[in-house]
Amino acid sequence: MSKIDKDVGEFNIDGAHIRIRDYLQLRSLSWQLDHNILLTDKEAIGIYERNKRFLEIHEIDERERLLMQRLIDEHGMEQLL
């Protein structure tokens, strides 16, 4: 973990904790955003669901699959996997 990551911390005051750059497909789907920002679960769900037609399912790594499954289980995100 870099010094910047440690300084930013895992969570911010708004509950945003998903760093765009940490997830390949999320980064690809949110190309217009700064990849260093943190998203809330709701924001990440919005990006995945709005852009599902662009998801490269075979390119999703285990870490991102776990994130997506958590969003499905905890927040009712559309089943995209």
Side-chain angles (χ1 to χ4, degrees):
M1 182 178 278
S2 73
K3 181 175 179 353
I4 292 171
D5 290 351
K6 288 178 187 173
D7 290 344
V8 170
E10 183 85 16
F11 293 90
N12 73 18
I13 197 162
D14 297 324
H17 58 96
I18 301 168
R19 189 180 317 278
I20 294 172
R21 73 169 185 224
D22 294 343
Y23 302 95
L24 179 64
Q25 290 300 300
L26 185 60
R27 188 172 62 228
S28 177
L29 298 175
S30 59
W31 56 269
Q32 74 282 13
L33 300 175
D34 177 351
H35 292 165
N36 289 312
I37 65 169
L38 299 173
L39 302 174
T40 63
D41 287 354
K42 185 177 179 178
E43 291 167 329
I45 289 169
I47 291 170
Y48 281 125
E49 289 183 344
R50 277 192 313 275
N51 298 291
K52 63 185 172 188
R53 68 187 177 277
F54 300 113
L55 265 177
E56 304 268 350
I57 297 296
H58 61 281
E59 296 289 327
I60 300 173
D61 65 16
E62 185 63 24
R63 184 170 187 227
E64 192 159 13
R65 282 186 189 279
L66 290 172
L67 168 66
M68 293 174 78
Q69 191 60 55
R70 183 180 66 75
L71 295 174
I72 291 166
D73 294 344
E74 293 179 8
H75 300 287
M77 182 174 91
E78 185 177 338
Q79 180 71 40
L80 301 173
L81 300 174

